[in-house]
Amino acid sequence: MKRIGQVIGIKPEEIEEYERIHEAIWPTVAATLKKANIQNYSIFRYENLLFAYMEYTGTDYEADMAQIAADPETQKWWKITAPMQVQVPEARDGEWWHTLHQNFYLD
């Protein structure tokens, strides 16, 4: 199992709507994430910063991420949520959410 932490900014004027729509994400989007071996997925907010944590249980991360990106319902969801977000300066080429280095884990 791979633990993944990511960050992205949130526009202050979009916080209320972002949190409202995430109270009940679309079931089709949740199903796509699960089908792509994502579990224990959470998004936290600290002021204008979003932190996501997820666990990946598959064997081909790139293929599973491509499967998520190809899903039409997920693409519709992203068209709503992406304009609410702002990349952090540390984002690498090809990243939307910036993936963090894991420094510590206690089981």
Side-chain angles (χ1 to χ4, degrees):
M1 190 255 306
K2 177 180 181 177
R3 289 170 292 282
I4 300 165
Q6 299 175 314
V7 293
I8 197 165
I10 179 88
K11 295 175 182 174
E13 67 274 15
E14 298 288 0
I15 291 171
E16 185 177 326
E17 179 64 6
Y18 187 89
E19 290 182 348
R20 185 193 69 77
I21 65 173
H22 280 80
E23 288 175 5
I25 70 164
W26 300 346
T28 51
V29 172
T32 297
L33 292 169
K34 289 180 181 183
K35 185 178 176 186
N37 300 299
I38 299 295
Q39 63 183 24
N40 294 328
Y41 188 18
S42 299
I43 299 175
F44 302 87
R45 182 178 64 82
Y46 174 72
E47 296 183 357
N48 298 334
L49 187 66
L50 299 173
F51 169 75
Y53 171 81
M54 68 187 87
E55 295 172 354
Y56 176 71
T57 59
T59 58
D60 190 342
Y61 181 77
E62 297 302 324
D64 283 333
M65 295 306 101
Q67 176 184 336
I68 293 170
D71 175 64
E73 287 294 303
T74 300
Q75 291 174 7
K76 289 177 188 176
W77 179 261
W78 287 348
K79 284 182 182 177
I80 295 168
T81 60
M84 299 175 174
Q85 302 166 340
V86 180
Q87 286 183 296
V88 296
E90 299 82 5
R92 298 176 193 96
D93 287 341
E95 279 188 325
W96 182 244
W97 283 71
H98 175 57
T99 300
L100 302 172
H101 173 75
Q102 181 178 327
N103 289 303
F104 176 77
Y105 173 73
L106 176 64
D107 189 14

